[in-house]
Amino acid sequence: MFVFDRRRRRGAVFHLQCATALLALTVFPALAASPLTLQQAVTLAVERAPLVQAGRAREDAARADRNRAGRWPDPSLDFGVQNLPVQGPGAFIPAAGSMTMRTVGFSQEIPSGAALAAERAGARAGAAAASAETEQARLHTRQAAAAAWVSLWAARRAGAQLEGLERQNALVIVAAKARLAGGTGSTADALAAQAAQAELANRLDQADATIAAARAALARWVGAAAAQATLADPPDFTRLPVTAAHLLQSPDAQAPLLDWESREDRAEAALQSARASKHPGWNVDLSYGRVPGLPALATLMVGVRLPLFPAHREDQDILARRADLEAVRAERENARRAQIEAVQRLLATWRGYGRQVRRDRDTLLSLAADRSAAALAAYRGGASLQPWLEARRDEISTRLDYVGALNAWGDTWVQLAYLLPEYAQ
């Protein structure tokens, strides 16, 4: 009865998956026509990622800021009344005072060329920072979508590994019942066989839940319809799209360090602006006034900012900004060393999981299956059931360890493959 219920439940799950797949056919026919490859998932994720769209908007904003940087400020229009009486019978009456003059003019601030150049440098650094952030978001999206694809692929492999064990469990139950009926078996063996079947059913339920969770994670990046598609074969995890030597020699071009150049440029622009503060800025004021009954008058005023005490102000600012620049450079070097270490760790992990996957696939899986088969044959020949129970638990553990190694192997491959923008196309 237990085996029948399990198969009926699996059948219901199969029909539900078929219905979901039919819905995906109507909503996403392009992907339903062929299995979803890892690269297709990555492309879809980048196209619909909100963070990438936000990065592009920030790039537009940074370009606009760069276009307006380094220009003179707008002039100011000035108008008013001079020498207006505020006492006596003609108080606050412009026509009552013989010295009252109506004026109109404009003023213009003229920053130094060094200050304008520093402003342009800061704007260029801001645009570069926005571009780096967008590229980082794009690479993060590619890594996350590829990792989600690998997780779903591995979860399905885990389910397939466990489903292959149901038939042998059913044979053990039949053999246990037959031996019990023939008087050569025990009730304990029959119950143990049914318990092993129940444990396998629990494992299969966990596998189904893991598949559903992995599909939800992939749907975040590619959409619910695309996540329902059949997955294509994975890429060759034994080979990276870029050599390990190139990864170790190009840390500055990798995703975690892409924004450090713009950080250094910003610090240099701040230092340039501090140095520019020692260059005087100018302002010009031109006004035109008229007193009734007298000739029109014009006034031209030119002002200049005088940095009279640079040792206490401007020089201190320069020292502070230079220290900031040195700090950024030291932090960048620290980040570079940390990234090289991280790549070395990833490479070691990727190679280690590759060896484990090959060993599991070529040796341990077949040994575990042969051990279970031999124990089953011995039990059917009259031996104890306990060796088969132990062999079956070990085989399940070996199969799940193999799939776990596959998942970790693919995940480290993804992290290495999508570190460099030029190899993430």
Side-chain angles (χ1 to χ4, degrees), residues 178-383:
R179 289 185 58 177
L180 181 62
T184 59
S186 66
T187 304
D189 283 350
L191 294 175
Q194 294 181 16
Q197 182 76 339
E199 290 176 1
L200 180 59
N202 286 339
R203 296 276 194 173
L204 287 165
D205 286 337
Q206 293 174 4
D208 290 340
T210 302
I211 291 173
R215 183 179 293 112
L218 182 60
R220 172 191 173 184
W221 302 105
V222 303
Q228 297 295 336
T230 303
L231 298 187
D233 292 334
D236 184 5
F237 291 148
T238 63
R239 299 181 59 185
L240 291 170
V242 58
T243 64
H246 185 66
L247 285 174
L248 293 173
Q249 293 168 4
S250 58
D252 290 315
Q254 295 169 18
L257 269 67
L258 283 178
D259 61 338
W260 275 101
E261 184 174 358
S262 61
R263 292 189 197 182
E264 190 170 333
D265 289 343
R266 280 180 166 176
E268 289 180 347
L271 175 58
Q272 186 177 348
S273 178
R275 288 170 174 165
S277 65
K278 298 186 72 172
H279 296 260
W282 298 77
N283 63 281
V284 178
D285 296 300
L286 176 63
S287 61
Y288 171 87
R290 188 175 183 85
V291 178
L294 296 177
L297 301 174
T299 301
L300 175 64
M301 298 292 294
V302 177
V304 59
R305 188 182 62 84
L306 299 176
L308 296 179
F309 305 101
H312 300 289
R313 283 192 285 267
E314 288 81 8
D315 289 348
Q316 296 302 313
D317 190 20
I318 292 172
L319 289 174
R321 302 293 76 77
R322 184 181 292 116
D324 288 340
L325 176 58
E326 292 174 355
V328 170
R329 287 173 174 168
E331 290 169 350
R332 183 180 183 181
E333 177 60 25
N334 180 69
R336 184 183 293 111
R337 296 181 184 181
Q339 182 61 19
I340 293 174
E341 177 193 358
V343 172
Q344 289 174 331
R345 288 176 177 271
L346 281 173
L347 286 169
T349 303
W350 169 67
R351 290 165 180 154
Y353 277 122
R355 291 191 295 269
Q356 180 179 339
V357 166
R358 287 189 292 272
R359 188 179 301 111
D360 288 347
R361 181 191 60 211
D362 300 338
T363 304
L364 291 180
L365 285 177
S366 58
L367 289 176
D370 292 344
R371 179 186 171 194
S372 295
L376 174 59
Y379 175 69
R380 296 175 74 176

Side-chain angles (χ1 to χ4, degrees), residues 8-18 208:
R8 183 173 58 186
R9 190 196 68 81
R10 300 290 293 178
V13 172
F14 173 76
H15 290 306
L16 178 60
Q17 291 175 342
C18 290
D208 290 340

Side-chain angles (χ1 to χ4, degrees), residues 143 146-147 240 247 346 408 410-420:
Q143 280 189 337
L240 291 170
L247 285 174
L346 281 173
D411 188 63
T412 52
W413 183 92
V414 163
Q415 294 182 59
L416 291 167
Y418 290 94
L419 274 175
L420 293 171

Side-chain angles (χ1 to χ4, degrees), residues 147-161:
W149 188 98
V150 169
S151 294
L152 179 55
W153 169 76
R156 289 180 172 178
R157 289 291 298 270
Q161 288 285 336

